[in-house]
Amino acid sequence: MEFKHIQKLIKDIHSVELHVIHTTEDLKKLLSQGKLESDNQQLITTLYEAHQNDLDPLFVETNSDCHFIMFPDSDCYYLVGPFTLEANHRSLPYLKRASLRSLAELLYYLIFEKQGAKLLFSEDLEASSPLPLTRSPLTPDTPLHQQELENLMLTAIREGQIAKVKELLLLNPINKENDSIGVLSKKSLIRHYRNISITTVTLATRAAIQGGLFPEIAYTLSDRYIQALEETQFISDISKLMTEALVELTRKVSQEKQLNFSPITNKAREYISNHLYEPITREDVADFLMISPNHLDKVFKADLDNSIARYIKHEKLNLACELIEQQHYSLSDISESLGFHSLNSFSKLFKQHYGYTPSHHLRHSAK
């Protein structure tokens, strides 16, 4: 997964920032922006220099309620924070202490694409005892080798085989849990299954992209389901959401494979999908493909019976609809980020396309 998507995922789930540090000077500059006391800056810098050979995430707790998680990669260093563990703190993102391990495990997996991270603590640098996550997230309690099953699932997603994905999902152990198990009765178990499901959706997203689904579509869909997984409080709902995510990703791959468009149209659609957060014109797409705008329009209309300008507007509005449903962004932010001239013009176009306003869709999504 691209780093910017990992940053966004960590920000959306845990409300904290993820930074990449390449040198001690980079670290000092970042710490100075956070207005840390000099002794705390020195503590983090010292740990940064001493922790280069240990890949496990390290939780750094300062004496000013300004905390970090940090760990190195082969050519850089990752820093998560600052955040606070105090619920009444107003100037920093609040993170529950119980969420530290889940954040460290998720981030470690997203960056290194493997499990097994141990969260170390700066006060003693002794290994903690996190809930073991050594099994593959797609592994059921069957004699089938776990790597073989995971490969079967990811291959089915890449190939758009919906029936096969549903068959393999029936083997998932989460589907066998009791519907009544809630966050208050077995909180650690809930967190365990959330981590498994988030990891599974991440793997499935990558497989869908490899199968031909445009990255922006795949990541938007993934973000929506991961947010829903974080908010649910029952294991049975986690199972349903993970199943829905994998089936939906596979369905979109299948739909993409059934389209028999020309190479020009496919490349144009991919370019548009990757630049939805920018102002896009048919001239931009034509320049990218090194053909004339008129020829691009002719090919595009033959394949899709639609002009490229209308297609761009359609894709931007579809993405806007997805972002509204996530309920993490204001309508003005969505309008601005997608390059609409104003919130008013965005609302008019949205109503023309869907038959109701963005505000109406937001209210309906919140129910």
Side-chain angles (χ1 to χ4, degrees), residues 21-218:
I21 306 298
H22 293 282
T23 66
T24 302
E25 291 305 314
D26 289 343
L27 179 62
K28 290 180 178 178
K29 183 177 180 180
L30 178 63
L31 295 176
S32 65
Q33 294 172 355
K35 299 180 180 179
L36 277 176
E37 297 175 4
S38 59
D39 57 338
N40 288 326
Q41 292 189 37
Q42 184 59 45
L43 167 65
I44 295 172
T45 303
T46 300
L47 288 170
Y48 162 74
E49 294 172 345
H51 190 235
Q52 297 289 334
N53 297 322
D54 194 339
L55 294 183
D56 286 318
L58 175 67
F59 171 60
V60 182
E61 186 170 10
T62 73
N63 57 19
S64 60
D65 293 329
C66 184
H67 313 309
F68 298 85
I69 291 177
M70 48 200 291
F71 62 96
D73 196 351
S74 57
D75 58 353
C76 63
Y77 208 91
Y78 296 99
L79 188 73
V80 184
F83 56 86
T84 180
L85 301 177
E86 301 296 328
N88 58 355
H89 202 294
R90 295 183 179 181
S91 62
L92 289 173
Y94 165 58
L95 190 68
K96 294 181 180 178
R97 184 175 286 272
S99 300
L100 289 174
R101 288 196 180 103
S102 62
L103 169 58
E105 290 166 356
L106 174 61
L107 184 56
Y108 186 89
Y109 179 81
L110 292 173
I111 291 174
F112 295 114
E113 299 186 16
K114 62 181 180 180
Q115 297 175 347
K118 297 180 298 182
L119 181 61
L120 306 177
F121 291 83
S122 59
E123 63 265 27
D124 53 18
L125 290 180
E126 292 179 356
S128 62
S129 302
L131 185 65
L133 289 174
T134 56
R135 292 163 55 84
S136 164
L138 298 179
T139 302
D141 296 320
T142 69
L144 188 63
H145 189 276
Q146 63 182 41
Q147 190 63 52
E148 182 183 351
L149 177 65
E150 183 172 308
N151 289 339
L152 287 173
M153 175 67 82
L154 298 180
T155 298
I157 294 171
R158 278 192 294 269
E159 296 179 356
Q161 298 176 345
I162 300 173
K164 185 66 174 179
V165 167
K166 290 181 178 179
E167 175 187 333
L168 293 171
L169 280 167
L170 292 176
L171 301 174
N172 195 301
I174 299 180
N175 291 324
K176 303 172 186 178
E177 294 295 334
N178 189 323
D179 287 0
S180 64
I181 298 178
V183 69
L184 296 178
S185 61
K186 292 189 178 181
K187 186 174 182 178
S188 62
L189 187 61
I190 286 285
R191 183 70 260 172
H192 173 63
Y193 281 119
R194 279 200 185 112
N195 286 346
I196 289 176
S197 298
I198 289 171
T199 301
T200 301
V201 172
T202 301
L203 286 169
T205 301
R206 188 177 297 114
I209 293 171
Q210 292 170 350
L213 187 61
F214 295 144
E216 198 59 54
I217 295 174

Side-chain angles (χ1 to χ4, degrees), residues 108-323:
Y108 186 89
Y109 179 81
L110 292 173
I111 291 174
F112 295 114
E113 299 186 16
K114 62 181 180 180
Q115 297 175 347
K118 297 180 298 182
L119 181 61
L120 306 177
F121 291 83
S122 59
E123 63 265 27
D124 53 18
L125 290 180
E126 292 179 356
S128 62
S129 302
L131 185 65
L133 289 174
T134 56
R135 292 163 55 84
S136 164
L138 298 179
T139 302
D141 296 320
T142 69
L144 188 63
H145 189 276
Q146 63 182 41
Q147 190 63 52
E148 182 183 351
L149 177 65
E150 183 172 308
N151 289 339
L152 287 173
M153 175 67 82
L154 298 180
T155 298
I157 294 171
R158 278 192 294 269
E159 296 179 356
Q161 298 176 345
I162 300 173
K164 185 66 174 179
V165 167
K166 290 181 178 179
E167 175 187 333
L168 293 171
L169 280 167
L170 292 176
L171 301 174
N172 195 301
I174 299 180
N175 291 324
K176 303 172 186 178
E177 294 295 334
N178 189 323
D179 287 0
S180 64
I181 298 178
V183 69
L184 296 178
S185 61
K186 292 189 178 181
K187 186 174 182 178
S188 62
L189 187 61
I190 286 285
R191 183 70 260 172
H192 173 63
Y193 281 119
R194 279 200 185 112
N195 286 346
I196 289 176
S197 298
I198 289 171
T199 301
T200 301
V201 172
T202 301
L203 286 169
T205 301
R206 188 177 297 114
I209 293 171
Q210 292 170 350
L213 187 61
F214 295 144
E216 198 59 54
I217 295 174
Y219 286 131
T220 300
L221 186 65
S222 171
D223 288 349
R224 187 180 74 192
Y225 277 106
I226 288 174
Q227 283 298 319
L229 284 166
E230 281 295 326
E231 293 168 3
T232 188
Q233 297 187 4
F234 296 93
I235 289 179
S236 59
D237 290 338
I238 290 176
S239 170
K240 291 173 186 175
L241 284 167
M242 189 184 72
T243 297
E244 287 177 15
L246 268 60
V247 171
E248 183 65 16
L249 283 165
T250 309
R251 180 178 290 111
K252 288 189 176 294
V253 171
S254 177
Q255 291 171 349
E256 195 64 34
K257 290 182 180 296
Q258 292 173 19
L259 299 175
N260 188 24
F261 296 149
S262 68
I264 287 178
T265 297
N266 284 332
K267 289 179 180 178
R269 290 173 64 237
E270 182 174 8
Y271 178 86
I272 292 168
S273 176
N274 291 334
H275 294 79
L276 287 175
Y277 289 103
E278 305 168 19
I280 317 172
T281 65
R282 70 169 191 157
E283 287 73 22
D284 294 328
V285 183
D287 287 345
F288 171 74
L289 297 175
M290 294 184 290
I291 60 176
S292 73
N294 289 337
H295 181 57
L296 173 61
D297 255 340
K298 182 179 179 180
V299 174
F300 211 83
K301 194 168 184 63
D303 279 337
L304 289 169
D305 194 26
N306 201 358
S307 71
I308 195 162
R310 286 182 178 273
Y311 180 83
I312 291 171
K313 182 178 72 174
H314 175 272
E315 292 300 293
K316 281 181 175 284
L317 289 172
N318 277 351
L319 178 55
C321 194
E322 294 273 0
L323 294 172

